[in-house]
Amino acid sequence: QVQVVESGGGLVQAGGSLRLSCAASNNIFRINTMGWYRQAPGKQRELVASITYGGRTTYVDSVKGRFTISGDNNKNMVHLQMDSLKPEDTAVYYCNFWTSVGNYWGQGTQVTVSS
């Protein structure tokens, strides 16, 4: 069974930075896309950023210029560097690996940005 583990969440003041990391177990294969989603209380889960196996990235408009996604295909890892954080970035952040044989999620990590 594929396991996905996130780390790096926490509490930060507005304007600060956090780096989220996510690793999938070695039995994952045929990765198409890695991504970060978030879900704030009372809101639907939204895609924040994604990166294809070939390195193509996409971002939701609200984080463009502030967040950077990067991937390490050899280590089955994906990172999200979050700068200039805002209170509206507060949410549980989930890592996702979309493969040709399945879609795998992490357990989520809380990010709280205080004003």
Side-chain angles (χ1 to χ4, degrees):
Q1 183 176 356
V2 172
Q3 293 184 331
V4 177
V5 179
E6 300 124 337
S7 61
L11 173 65
V12 65
Q13 288 187 334
S17 298
L18 284 173
R19 180 177 172 85
L20 304 182
S21 294
C22 177
S25 53
N26 290 333
N27 57 338
I28 195 170
F29 60 102
R30 296 183 184 175
I31 297 173
N32 294 318
T33 304
M34 300 177 286
W36 287 95
Y37 291 71
R38 67 185 178 187
Q39 187 167 19
K43 294 187 177 182
Q44 291 187 333
R45 188 175 298 189
E46 67 170 349
L47 175 63
V48 176
S50 66
I51 183 168
T52 67
Y53 193 80
R56 182 178 301 175
T57 59
T58 60
Y59 298 91
V60 67
D61 286 346
S62 60
V63 308
K64 286 181 179 178
R66 300 189 298 121
F67 290 11
T68 304
I69 190 170
S70 60
D72 186 335
N73 295 333
N74 292 330
K75 296 182 179 179
N76 298 328
M77 294 189 71
V78 60
H79 309 281
L80 185 67
Q81 177 66 39
M82 304 185 294
D83 298 318
S84 302
L85 282 161
K86 303 176 180 179
E88 51 263 43
D89 294 318
T90 295
V92 178
Y93 284 69
Y94 297 90
C95 172
N96 174 263
F97 285 81
W98 177 47
T99 78
S100 298
V101 295
N103 196 19
Y104 305 100
W105 293 89
Q107 79 285 358
T109 185
Q110 177 70 45
V111 171
T112 303
V113 184
S114 63
S115 58

